[in-house]
């Protein structure tokens, strides 16, 4: 950007194609599932893995898991336990 009220100086960065570029880059090479309802999370499952069981009965296991929930689900107290 040229100098002005929208210009950045220093180490800041502008994402002209939006901030979606950040998670897209982090997800490269990772099996990402969207809109998959998880019914159960087991931490410390078989040698410290995590196991996620979905609505369809499929169980996914891995060494790490990132589980997100909408604000609506949290407010409805639809999440029983995170521990």
């Amino acid at each position: 950007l040229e100098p002005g009220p929208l210009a950045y100086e220093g180490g800041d960065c502008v994402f002209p194609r939006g901030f979606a570029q950040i998670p897209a880059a982090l997800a490269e090479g990772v099996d990402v599932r969207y809109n998959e309802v998880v019914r159960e999370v087991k931490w410390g499952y078989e040698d410290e893995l995590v196991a996620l069981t979905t609505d369809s009965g499929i169980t996914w296991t891995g060494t790490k898991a990132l589980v997100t929930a909408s604000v609506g689900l949290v407010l409805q107290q639809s999440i029983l336990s995170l521990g």
Side-chain angles (χ1 to χ4, degrees), residues 24-45:
L26 293 172
E28 285 182 13
V30 176
D31 184 7
V32 176
R33 302 291 171 130
Y34 295 99
N35 301 313
E36 187 79 44
V37 177
V38 174
R39 291 292 171 195
E40 183 178 34
V41 177
K42 290 183 181 176
W43 300 102
Y45 175 82

Side-chain angles (χ1 to χ4, degrees), residues 6-55:
L6 298 178
Y8 290 96
E9 293 180 20
D12 293 333
C13 183
V14 176
F15 295 92
R17 292 178 307 226
F19 286 104
Q21 297 173 83
I22 298 169
L26 293 172
E28 285 182 13
V30 176
D31 184 7
V32 176
R33 302 291 171 130
Y34 295 99
N35 301 313
E36 187 79 44
V37 177
V38 174
R39 291 292 171 195
E40 183 178 34
V41 177
K42 290 183 181 176
W43 300 102
Y45 175 82
E46 293 184 12
D47 297 327
E48 299 184 24
L49 294 176
V50 59
L52 307 171
T53 303
T54 66
D55 239 2

